[in-house]
Amino acid sequence: MSEPELSDFQITQTLDGTSDWQVLAATDTSGAPIRLTVFSSEISRSTEFRRALKMDRAMLLMLQHQSIIRFLGTGESDGTLFFWTATTDYSSLSQQLADGRRFSADDIIEIGWQICSALQQAHNLGLSHGRLHLETVLLSDNLQVLLTGFGVERWLRGVKRTTPASDSGPALITISALASREQVEHDLKDLAELLSQLLTKASVEESESASAANPNSSRGLLERLLARCLSHAPGQIPVTAREFQGRLGEILIGSEEDTMPLVDQRDSVTTSRPSIVRELFEQGTAVHNQQATRETPAGPAVWKQILPILAALAVAAIITLIAVLAL
């Protein structure tokens, strides 16, 4: 079966693009909607670009994750390279921010958590995204993430790179391939920068009060995590996407270090009530004592219940004795 050509697709709209590539809304030969990415003639002629696309193609076809747009195939038409993916009606984060949508700290953590999950699966295959930013992250109304553009920026950097490859540092051993530690770190720093941008534009109410009033709020903890990730100090960026995801999860559900103390340390000047924990225990003790009081009968009450029984037994014994004597 021959590879498809551009003429096999019906292009309906230009969605995004630069001088090097364009993303188009189109339909395939069966009429199904797709997203078509077409590269310029200059880029398509590059041997380095062709090699990079060919090396990643098989892994991209295997990459299946609910937060990664599905890669469907590649083709070439008159020397122009292209690939197509599944389509979606989700809009990019940049478009949503431009439309006035804002996210709470918990929303941002949820977005980051999904991206980490997608990145970890890709890194396991030896794939890095290459450039995460507000345009390559699509989002639904209910916060479902879809990543697009996997590998594109890496391929383009390979074309434009004038120095030897810098991805020869220590490698992370993954399930089926070796992924450059530098590539993984680049993805995670991109993610930290993206989440930081969203946090800067967070909901006004949260921005005004959360981190200042409570440094252990979700926003305050997230700000500190992202600041560490974006610092130039060694060892601050998580080693893997799974580790990054774990740190986000701890903030969302609350880690042991960040949970509120059990004892309520309310100021005795403003209230004379004891701590919440003490109140709970005192209430429990009082209830137990009340139950014990109800369950322990008083002395006179017991005798009042027993005397009629003893009298009845005595009468029965006397009647029995009389009957025996009469025989």
Side-chain angles (χ1 to χ4, degrees), residues 178-248:
L178 293 177
S180 161
R181 183 179 295 277
E182 185 174 357
Q183 289 177 341
V184 171
E185 185 174 302
H186 189 280
D187 277 354
L188 299 183
K189 283 189 174 180
D190 279 352
L191 173 57
E193 177 61 34
L194 184 149
L195 298 182
S196 182
Q197 289 177 307
L198 292 180
L199 196 60
T200 301
K201 299 179 181 295
S203 59
V204 176
E205 297 81 3
E206 186 173 275
S207 301
E208 290 177 346
S209 59
S211 59
N214 182 9
N216 286 330
S217 65
S218 295
R219 181 185 175 88
L221 294 171
L222 181 58
E223 284 177 342
R224 294 203 293 276
L225 171 62
L226 298 179
R228 290 196 300 270
C229 292
L230 294 173
S231 70
H232 297 292
Q236 294 302 306
I237 190 76
V239 176
T240 65
R242 182 170 288 115
E243 182 184 340
F244 201 143
Q245 184 184 39
R247 294 188 188 182
L248 292 173

Side-chain angles (χ1 to χ4, degrees), residues 13 79 132 138 156 162 173 205 207 263 295:
Q13 183 183 0
L132 280 169
L138 311 181
L156 293 174
T162 57
I173 299 177
E205 297 81 3
S207 301
V263 179
E295 292 171 359

Side-chain angles (χ1 to χ4, degrees), residues 1-5 8 74-76 84:
M1 183 178 179
S2 60
E3 284 191 346
E5 297 190 356
D8 295 327
T74 64
E76 182 175 353
W84 67 99

Side-chain angles (χ1 to χ4, degrees), residues 86-117:
T87 190
T88 178
D89 58 358
Y90 299 177
S91 57
S92 67
L93 283 175
S94 61
Q95 182 61 54
Q96 296 197 28
L97 290 174
D99 292 340
R101 187 175 184 183
R102 295 294 181 265
F103 305 96
S104 68
D106 286 354
D107 291 341
I108 295 168
I109 292 170
E110 172 63 26
I111 292 169
W113 199 93
Q114 292 181 61
I115 295 175
C116 284
S117 177

Side-chain angles (χ1 to χ4, degrees), residues 126-160:
L127 287 170
S128 65
H129 186 280
R131 193 187 173 206
L132 280 169
H133 53 83
L134 297 175
E135 287 291 340
T136 56
V137 180
L138 311 181
L139 193 70
S140 71
D141 292 340
N142 62 349
L143 298 181
Q144 173 63 48
V145 168
L146 269 182
L147 300 186
T148 65
F150 246 95
V152 172
E153 293 293 336
R154 276 193 297 106
W155 306 336
L156 293 174
R157 281 201 302 272
V159 174
K160 300 172 181 179

